[in-house]
Amino acid sequence: MTQLGTQSAYLALCPQSLPTRLAHVVALIKKLGEDVQQWHVKEVGDGNLNLVFIVQSPKGSVIVKQALPYVRLVGDSWPLPLYRAFYEYHALTRQAQRDPGSVPEIYYFDETQALIVMEFFTPHVILRNKLITGETVEGLGEFCGKHCARMAFRGSELSMQSSDKKADVALFAGNVEIPAITEGLVFTDPYFEAAMNSHTPELDPVVAQLRANVDLKRIVQSMLAKFASNTETMLHGDLHSGSIMSTETESRVIDPEFAQYGPMGFDIGMLTANFLMAFFSQPGHRKDDLVGYQTWILSVVKDCFVAFQKEFRHLWSTERTGMLYPKTLFEDQGHSSENACEFVLGNIWTDALRFCGIEMHRRCLSLAHNADFESIEDTSVRARLEARNIEMGLSLILNADMLSTPQDLAGLARKINEKDIL
């Protein structure tokens, strides 16, 4: 870890100051060359929290990401600690170990300046944009499913030594303010008139009915309790189609600054929600081959869960070296642990569906909506599609235990996609 020259106090970068302030960083010189006059800096951060720059030279390119001391989407009225860069750095190092090649390589980290210099993926683009424009990605579901399974299994006490896992939990427990955003914006705010909420006006009757559903709110709060207290594995914490970059044939995961230890079903549930939102929003983006493209999105959802379960079972049989479900209780006594594995997978599946439904609600009703819907300018069209999305979320939260397979999930999405709720 190296400081930026003689600069010790935090100072936000800008395209003009970045070359000078990073000129003495050896890792950047190796990637970009010593002549900072040839470093071309472009700010590309379009997210809710951070500064992000692409720095290119004739020799190479990097991404520079710096945390801001506030929520960029809102402004300095919502302060946010800079330490989130520290947790993103540690999350990236663990992701690289647990699923090699799935995340950007880190070249440099400066804790004081809350910045990370990392690999620039090109010609990759944000997956959400590809889904909005109707592009496909080969093997997307398989990649996502395997990644989620490897992260879930290898970050848990199914694989890790208990002392190492507990030390990791203790480290990430310091990331207080970032999970608090999820606890509020995802699990609580959508279900009452929170100050920063917004929704498409035509949705008013749907929203009123949703917020009057006491059973729904009870289940959602039970899932918040799991999220806040169940430290099964290290989570990405904000895994969605905006935190995956893809080409036509490959994908990579970025932006794990919301990392914490939590339930195994959380990441795959959140990601599934974003695929389903892409599915329900498609009529607002295209008429040509609408059914074909929606069918492809549902195939990604199915492939993701199938790959997750297959990879999880493989890791169960080959890497189960932690204290949970030890072979001393099963295989060493001549007993199969297959039923135990299916029990664990069943709990992950049910949790994932409920987390999925909650995320589908928050992206229409809380702060920080998805471009999948927000980019549909005709609010009457948008509201009709969002109403289906909200209905799907409600069904998943209330009836997760009635869906047994990814095919059941896809079938429910197709059924609700044909309904006129508004």
Side-chain angles (χ1 to χ4, degrees), residues 184-186 188-212 216 277 357-370 373-374 382-383 386-387 389-391 393-394 397:
L185 296 186
V186 175
T188 307
D189 290 2
Y191 303 103
F192 79 109
E193 294 183 8
M196 289 186 290
N197 282 359
S198 66
H199 63 259
T200 307
E202 289 89 338
L203 281 175
D204 281 350
V206 174
V207 175
Q209 186 176 17
L210 188 80
R211 290 175 177 165
L216 167 70
M277 285 185 277
I358 294 165
E359 171 72 350
M360 294 176 81
H361 287 167
R362 87 92 169 189
R363 286 293 191 175
C364 290
L365 306 179
S366 185
L367 183 70
H369 294 189
N370 272 9
F373 291 119
E374 288 295 291
R382 184 201 305 164
E386 288 179 321
N389 179 73
I390 291 170
E391 176 71 15
L394 177 64
I397 295 166

Side-chain angles (χ1 to χ4, degrees), residues 7-318:
Q7 181 69 43
S8 56
Y10 171 87
L11 181 64
L13 294 166
C14 68
Q16 294 73 32
S17 67
L18 187 150
T20 301
R21 292 183 58 202
L22 293 174
H24 303 293
V25 177
V26 174
L28 269 76
I29 293 172
K30 289 181 179 179
K31 292 292 179 182
L32 302 173
E34 295 182 0
D35 186 358
V36 297
Q37 299 299 319
Q38 296 192 57
W39 293 11
H40 174 71
V41 183
K42 179 181 180 182
E43 185 177 357
V44 295
D46 59 356
N48 300 324
L49 299 179
N50 306 292
L51 296 170
V52 182
F53 306 91
I54 299 174
V55 188
Q56 296 175 299
S57 77
K59 187 175 181 181
S61 58
V62 300
I63 287 287
V64 176
K65 180 176 181 179
Q66 186 179 37
L68 288 168
Y70 52 83
V71 177
R72 189 176 190 182
L73 176 65
V74 177
D76 56 14
S77 63
W78 188 347
L80 205 60
L82 295 172
Y83 63 55
R84 65 186 187 274
F86 171 87
Y87 292 106
E88 179 169 7
Y89 165 76
H90 281 283
L92 283 167
T93 60
R94 285 152 179 77
Q95 289 175 329
Q97 293 168 354
R98 295 169 190 174
D99 189 15
S102 65
V103 298
E105 180 182 353
I106 297 174
Y107 303 135
Y108 172 78
F109 169 59
D110 187 311
E111 184 174 356
T112 301
Q113 297 301 321
L115 70 83
I116 306 172
V117 180
M118 65 188 91
E119 181 181 2
F120 171 45
F121 292 135
T122 183
H124 302 67
V125 299
I126 295 296
L127 176 60
R128 190 186 311 285
N129 298 338
K130 295 178 81 69
L131 297 176
I132 290 173
T133 57
E135 301 175 51
T136 61
V137 178
E138 182 181 334
L140 177 60
E142 183 177 11
F143 167 81
C144 293
K146 284 185 175 180
H147 176 74
C148 288
R150 290 166 182 170
M151 295 304 301
F153 193 95
R154 290 171 173 163
S156 77
E157 281 164 319
L158 289 169
S159 175
M160 295 179 71
Q161 294 303 301
S162 186
S163 58
D164 295 336
K165 160 75 171 357
K166 288 177 170 63
D168 232 25
V169 171
L171 175 71
F172 281 90
N175 193 12
V176 176
E177 295 294 332
I178 304 301
I181 294 175
T182 303
E183 291 156 6
L185 296 186
V186 175
F187 290 96
T188 307
D189 290 2
Y191 303 103
F192 79 109
E193 294 183 8
M196 289 186 290
N197 282 359
S198 66
H199 63 259
T200 307
E202 289 89 338
L203 281 175
D204 281 350
V206 174
V207 175
Q209 186 176 17
L210 188 80
R211 290 175 177 165
N213 192 321
V214 176
D215 286 340
L216 167 70
K217 291 187 282 191
R218 172 182 56 79
I219 295 172
V220 170
Q221 287 301 292
S222 74
M223 298 310 293
L224 170 56
K226 283 191 175 186
F227 176 77
S229 61
N230 185 339
T231 60
E232 282 184 318
T233 194
M234 192 192 82
L235 307 177
H236 178 286
D238 194 29
L239 188 59
H240 52 70
S241 54
S243 53
I244 295 175
M245 298 191 71
S246 300
T247 66
E248 293 180 356
T249 58
E250 69 174 24
S251 299
R252 298 291 184 268
V253 176
I254 61 172
D255 292 348
E257 64 192 309
F258 277 70
Q260 68 173 83
Y261 273 76
M264 288 186 179
F266 185 80
D267 280 347
I268 192 170
M270 298 288 275
L271 181 58
T272 300
N274 282 265
F275 287 140
L276 290 175
M277 285 185 277
F279 169 81
F280 284 112
S281 69
Q282 287 305 310
H285 299 300
R286 68 187 35 79
K287 294 181 180 179
D288 295 339
D289 196 31
L290 171 61
V291 174
Y293 193 66
Q294 285 184 305
T295 299
W296 177 79
I297 294 175
L298 291 184
S299 75
V300 171
V301 172
K302 290 186 287 185
D303 290 347
C304 183
F305 275 108
V306 169
F308 180 96
Q309 293 167 357
K310 181 179 179 181
E311 182 70 6
F312 195 93
R313 292 184 184 107
H314 170 71
L315 296 172
W316 181 280
S317 64
T318 59

Side-chain angles (χ1 to χ4, degrees), residues 408-421:
D408 293 340
L409 176 61
L412 178 62
R414 289 193 189 93
K415 180 179 179 180
I416 291 177
N417 189 53
E418 296 174 355
K419 295 177 68 173
D420 287 323
I421 297 165

Side-chain angles (χ1 to χ4, degrees), residues 337-383:
S337 65
E338 181 178 333
N339 288 341
C341 181
E342 296 309 308
F343 173 79
V344 173
L345 281 171
N347 287 335
I348 293 172
W349 165 256
T350 304
D351 283 355
L353 294 186
R354 291 197 169 113
F355 287 130
C356 173
I358 294 165
E359 171 72 350
M360 294 176 81
H361 287 167
R362 87 92 169 189
R363 286 293 191 175
C364 290
L365 306 179
S366 185
L367 183 70
H369 294 189
N370 272 9
D372 304 75
F373 291 119
E374 288 295 291
S375 60
I376 301 171
E377 295 184 2
D378 187 332
T379 58
S380 64
V381 173
R382 184 201 305 164

